[in-house]
C-alpha cells in the first residue's frame, strides 16, 4: 500500500469516526473528559487531511488537469 494512501486512510478514520462519536455524545447531552481530547484529535486529523490533500494535488497535477479538462 502506498504511504500516502495509508496516511490519508488513518487521518480520515480518526477524523471521521471521531466526528461521529462527538456528534453522538453532543446529541445525547453526554459530557466526558474524552470530549475535549476527541475534539483535539478530530481537528488535528482534519488538518492533516488538508495538508496531505494539497500535497497530493500538487504531485498529481497532470492527472488532475486531465480529469478537469484544463489546458485543452
Amino acid at each position: 500500500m502506498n504511504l500516502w494512501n495509508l496516511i490519508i486512510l488513518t487521518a480520515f478514520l480518526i477524523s471521521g469516526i471521531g466526528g461521529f462519536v462527538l456528534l453522538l455524545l453532543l446529541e445525547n447531552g453526554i459530557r466526558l473528559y474524552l470530549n475535549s481530547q476527541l475534539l483535539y484529535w478530530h481537528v488535528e486529523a482534519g488538518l492533516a487531511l488538508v495538508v496531505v490533500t494539497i500535497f497530493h494535488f500538487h504531485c498529481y497535477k497532470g492527472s488532475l488537469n486531465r480529469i478537469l479538462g484544463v489546458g485543452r
Side-chain angles (χ1 to χ4, degrees), residues 1-13 45 47-60:
M1 178 181 273
N2 189 344
L3 176 64
W4 287 113
N5 290 341
L6 184 62
I7 292 171
I8 291 170
L9 175 66
T10 304
F12 175 76
L13 287 175
L47 291 174
L49 274 172
V50 169
V51 170
V52 170
T53 301
I54 290 170
F55 182 77
H56 186 80
F57 282 161
H58 176 72
C59 287
Y60 296 103

Side-chain angles (χ1 to χ4, degrees), residues 39-52:
L39 179 62
Y40 174 80
W41 287 109
H42 170 72
V43 171
E44 290 294 317
L47 291 174
L49 274 172
V50 169
V51 170
V52 170

